[in-house]
Amino acid sequence: MAQEDFLAKQYFNDGDYDKAVAFYEKLVKQNPRRTDYSEGLVACYQQLERFAEAEQFLLEKVQEPYAFPTFLIELGYNYTLQDQPEKAQEYYQKAIEKIEENPNFGYSIGSRFQKYALLDEAIQAFSRAMELKPDLNYDFQLARIYGEKGEIGKMFEYYLKLISEGKSSRANVLRYIDNFVSENPQDGNNLILRKLLLKNAQKNPDVLWNELLSWLFIQQRQFKNAFAQERAIFKRSEAQSVERLQYVASMAFKEEDFESAKEMYGFILKNANDPAAKLNAELNLIKIDLASATEKEYDAIEKRYQELLDFYGYRNETLELQIAYANFLTFNRENPKPAIDILKKSLKTPMGRFQEAYLKLALGDILVFDQRFNEALIYFTQVQKSLKNDVLGQEARFKVAQTSFYKGDFDWAHTQLKVLRGSTSQLIANDAMQLSLLISDNSLEDSTQTALKKYAHADLLAYQNKTTKAIEALEDILQNHKGEKIEDEALMKQAELYEKRGQFDKARFNYQKIVEFYGQDILADDAHFALAELYRKKLDDPEKAKFHYEKIIYGYQDSYYFPRARKNFRILRGDSIN
């Protein structure tokens, strides 16, 4: 029988209904009380348009004393397929009436109606079952159905009810709500949700509504508004935890809303009881100031780091401070020697495996800046071996490859990168693939690897934060290696550096050249995405941004950027993201 069951399903899935029906007829005869076999047989009859046989079978089925009520829906649907709505409605109503006899039928009846897109009947079934037996809860199903019907307000009401009554995890419900809101505060769905949350907050001043309003403001990138909610939550919280505020501040920083981030970190610094939270706020406030600081302001920033070190000391708990200061000395002040001394001193204190790995990666980065490549490789390799199966270990392997690339050891870099193309981190895998192809493409064409060596040098200059020199080195490649494989890579790298300096028109020109002259090559999707982001965020031209997102959606479905391109395109188009 197991073999017949398998074959019946296989033939049905393959669309070979004539063969499937023979097996299902046999299975139903042998197992008359198996509903799945009966339903399989009915589905075969319907696919073959043998509606009369399906009707006869179902009429007999619903007369059986223990017939499951979903057969009434199946019979009604069989009449729907024959364009007999009155008869169909008669049996749909009979199915709903079965809930009066046993409210536990509510789920199977409601779900079957939903399967056939009979959404009003599904609502009726779920709602009546809950009325008759209040401990049943079908709010989740009702929310989904109202979403399908496009009744967004009702959908939100049911989702919010689930959260407020603790019937479903907040994370789970917000994942569904997130599909219906966008970054645009004026989007219709966003306005409906905001109105509902404010209404609930007025009726019941529970901190939950502040938390959900904060969540909505974060989706809308309105970080000042989110901060207002978080401040209210903090003041009403007994624990006085700043964890939520830290998250919102970090999001604001990531979105380059430095003003809001600064305000939040200032609040955390003033109100946190935890020294680690205070230190984290101090470091982020320095990071915000560094984003727009001139060299004249570096002395004052260095003084702030030194004061923090004097206050907190060199301890495992202050590794973040030590690394931040070392990076400042290296990448901003171009003074790596004291930075290396600080981190080597820190390595001598006992610490956990992950802390040690984090520190060694930071030290390796600074040694690369100082062109002490072999020493850097030792630290990266140690991390790679000690955390082989962790993302940190994969990151270390990528740094081994990158350092070998800067050093001019292209073969060893290529060997490491081939392994990383299967990395569990999509970002590392993507970066590894691009660097690997850069090496292979430019080694085949030019055995002397002249252009590749020049590019590696330019890439190192960019890594060292020597932006002007890096742009000049890339210009040398563009002038003296025209038509070679390296050209699109040089254009891309130079464009990224122009963006960093705020020279957006020059960046746009380079990206445009890539999509026009290298549209079939590996960097085409990167250039389209970069152009889209540039038009959206810096050049305020949403129509051109949409054009380049659309290029990725229809031309580069395997691209790393595909999910973000699709989401941003739909937001710009004004879709409800559901």
Side-chain angles (χ1 to χ4, degrees):
M1 193 174 73
Q3 177 72 3
E4 289 165 341
D5 183 334
F6 171 78
L7 287 169
K9 288 173 183 167
Q10 188 68 48
Y11 283 129
F12 186 88
N13 291 334
D14 290 345
D16 197 342
Y17 304 115
D18 284 309
K19 287 181 181 174
V21 80
F23 281 103
Y24 273 121
E25 282 174 341
K26 193 174 178 184
L27 286 164
V28 167
K29 200 171 183 180
Q30 292 170 345
N31 304 273
R33 298 187 74 171
R34 280 279 297 264
T35 56
D36 57 332
Y37 291 158
S38 295
E39 287 172 359
L41 177 58
V42 169
C44 284
Y45 284 149
Q46 289 170 344
Q47 289 292 341
L48 294 165
E49 297 187 9
R50 290 160 61 177
F51 299 120
E53 286 167 83
E55 180 183 345
Q56 187 58 43
F57 176 79
L58 287 166
L59 282 167
E60 289 171 12
K61 206 77 193 159
V62 298
Q63 294 304 318
E64 290 175 3
Y66 301 106
F68 206 63
T70 51
F71 283 118
L72 291 162
I73 300 171
E74 293 296 336
L75 182 53
Y77 186 64
N78 197 61
Y79 287 125
T80 295
L81 292 174
Q82 297 174 81
D83 198 21
Q84 297 180 42
E86 294 84 5
K87 273 193 171 184
Q89 202 56 48
E90 178 190 336
Y91 283 97
Y92 293 152
Q93 201 53 46
K94 281 182 180 180
I96 291 167
E97 284 164 12
K98 288 287 180 183
I99 296 169
E100 304 292 327
E101 297 171 25
N102 184 351
N104 291 325
F105 285 144
Y107 180 77
S108 52
I109 290 172
S111 299
R112 189 60 55 92
F113 279 133
Q114 198 174 356
K115 176 186 171 184
Y116 292 130
L118 298 160
L119 302 181
D120 291 328
E121 288 83 356
I123 289 168
Q124 200 179 340
F126 285 128
S127 302
R128 186 60 184 149
M130 287 165 67
E131 282 170 23
L132 292 168
K133 193 175 179 184
D135 60 335
L136 294 172
N137 190 291
Y138 301 129
D139 288 341
F140 198 84
Q141 286 79 8
L142 286 164
R144 296 289 299 273
I145 293 166
Y146 280 118
E148 285 180 56
K149 278 172 66 77
E151 294 183 33
I152 304 303
K154 282 196 180 246
M155 179 197 72
F156 284 147
E157 280 177 27
Y158 277 99
Y159 277 137
L160 295 178
K161 192 174 165 216
L162 279 165
I163 296 175
S164 62
E165 292 179 358
K167 298 283 172 62
S168 182
S169 79
R170 188 181 306 188
N172 189 34
V173 173
L174 287 179
R175 194 165 60 247
Y176 284 100
I177 291 178
D178 187 41
N179 291 325
F180 288 85
V181 297
S182 76
E183 288 180 18
N184 178 9
Q186 298 309 311
D187 178 89
N189 291 357
N190 291 49
L191 292 170
I192 291 167
L193 181 57
R194 185 169 180 264
K195 189 177 176 182
L196 270 173
L197 291 171
L198 288 168
K199 184 180 166 187
N200 283 329
Q202 286 164 0
K203 275 168 47 184
N204 173 20
D206 191 308
V207 75
L208 165 70
W209 308 116
N210 298 99
E211 290 170 358
L212 293 175
L213 276 164
S214 175
W215 176 86
L216 177 61
F217 289 134
I218 291 166
Q219 309 315 302
Q220 295 173 174
R221 307 297 185 259
Q222 294 177 309
F223 296 107
K224 277 196 186 302
N225 292 355
F227 177 38
Q229 298 301 322
E230 291 299 332
R231 202 164 39 206
I233 294 163
F234 178 82
K235 285 174 182 173
R236 292 170 64 183
S237 161
E238 286 179 25
Q240 297 279 282
S241 168
V242 294
E243 198 173 321
R244 289 180 58 92
L245 277 156
Q246 286 176 313
Y247 169 74
V248 182
S250 71
M251 288 294 293
F253 183 87
K254 186 180 169 188
E255 292 293 321
E256 298 182 18
D257 183 352
F258 298 130
E259 188 185 331
S260 298
K262 194 167 188 173
E263 203 177 337
M264 282 183 261
Y265 283 122
F267 182 87
I268 292 166
L269 187 60
K270 190 177 174 183
N271 292 279
N273 296 316
D274 177 20
K278 281 183 177 288
L279 175 57
N280 178 267
E282 292 269 25
L283 291 174
N284 278 295
L285 285 167
I286 294 174
K287 204 191 287 184
I288 291 165
D289 289 342
L290 259 177
S292 59
T294 62
E295 281 190 44
K296 288 177 184 176
E297 294 165 291
Y298 284 173
D299 285 341
I301 288 172
E302 186 165 350
K303 190 182 175 191
R304 283 164 70 183
Y305 275 124
Q306 287 169 344
E307 285 170 355
L308 288 173
L309 278 166
D310 290 343
F311 182 79
Y312 287 99
Y314 286 83
R315 297 176 293 118
N316 282 353
E317 294 79 9
T318 65
L319 276 183
E320 194 184 355
L321 165 59
Q322 295 157 51
I323 291 170
Y325 182 43
N327 283 335
F328 168 74
L329 289 172
T330 304
F331 294 98
N332 294 94
R333 305 230 78 167
E334 297 186 22
N335 190 12
K337 189 180 181 309
I340 291 165
D341 292 341
I342 288 167
L343 297 189
K344 282 189 173 177
K345 179 184 171 184
S346 300
L347 265 178
K348 289 174 184 173
T349 58
M351 64 185 73
R353 200 159 57 113
F354 282 91
Q355 281 183 308
E356 188 180 330
Y358 179 53
L359 193 54
K360 283 180 175 178
L361 289 181
L363 177 55
D365 287 343
I366 291 167
L367 289 164
V368 169
F369 178 96
D370 206 28
Q371 299 189 52
R372 290 158 67 172
F373 299 130
N374 291 337
E375 205 176 333
L377 285 167
I378 290 166
Y379 287 110
F380 292 149
T381 305
Q382 285 171 356
V383 175
Q384 181 194 317
K385 286 179 178 174
S386 69
L387 296 171
K388 196 185 302 183
N389 298 317
D390 190 86
V391 173
L392 215 56
Q394 292 168 6
E395 188 184 335
R397 188 188 283 271
F398 183 76
K399 287 179 183 289
V400 167
Q402 195 175 43
T403 305
S404 302
F405 177 70
Y406 293 148
K407 192 184 166 192
D409 190 349
F410 301 130
D411 289 341
W412 181 239
H414 198 244
T415 301
Q416 300 298 307
L417 292 163
K418 277 195 279 189
V419 177
L420 281 170
R421 286 168 77 166
S423 170
T424 51
S425 161
Q426 198 182 353
L427 181 60
I428 291 173
N430 190 62
D431 289 347
M433 181 184 72
Q434 294 209 344
L435 187 52
S436 172
L437 288 170
L438 169 69
I439 294 168
S440 57
D441 284 354
N442 292 283
S443 299
L444 289 169
E445 199 174 74
D446 178 9
S447 58
T448 62
Q449 298 175 320
T450 307
L452 191 58
K453 286 170 187 170
K454 284 184 179 182
Y455 183 89
H457 174 64
D459 200 10
L460 176 62
L461 288 169
Y463 175 86
Q464 291 171 317
N465 227 8
K466 296 173 182 175
T467 308
T468 302
K469 287 183 179 178
I471 288 172
E472 288 168 359
L474 291 162
E475 191 59 36
D476 171 57
I477 295 170
L478 292 169
Q479 294 302 322
N480 295 304
H481 297 272
K482 285 182 188 292
E484 293 182 27
K485 286 272 189 183
I486 201 85
E487 193 172 1
D488 61 338
E489 295 282 354
L491 283 165
M492 175 62 74
K493 192 71 184 176
Q494 196 182 53
E496 289 166 359
L497 295 171
Y498 281 139
E499 270 204 70
K500 186 179 173 183
R501 290 213 309 206
Q503 294 175 285
F504 302 126
D505 281 331
K506 286 187 174 183
R508 182 183 55 78
F509 179 76
N510 276 28
Y511 292 137
Q512 198 64 48
K513 278 187 82 171
I514 295 168
V515 300
E516 284 176 15
F517 297 106
Y518 298 94
Q520 305 305 312
D521 289 354
I522 188 71
L523 291 178
D525 60 324
D526 299 67
H528 276 298
F529 188 78
L531 274 168
E533 292 285 280
L534 194 59
Y535 280 123
R536 182 170 73 96
K537 292 180 175 179
K538 304 295 182 186
L539 302 176
D540 194 25
D541 193 336
E543 286 306 311
K544 284 185 179 171
K546 270 163 53 180
F547 172 81
H548 289 286
Y549 286 134
E550 200 170 15
K551 285 287 184 185
I552 295 169
I553 294 164
Y554 294 110
Y556 306 91
Q557 283 92 346
D558 295 334
S559 170
Y560 168 74
Y561 301 104
F562 178 81
R564 286 158 67 196
R566 182 173 57 182
K567 185 175 181 183
N568 290 343
F569 173 77
R570 293 176 70 187
I571 288 166
L572 287 174
R573 196 170 63 179
D575 294 2
S576 286
I577 312 299
N578 54 44

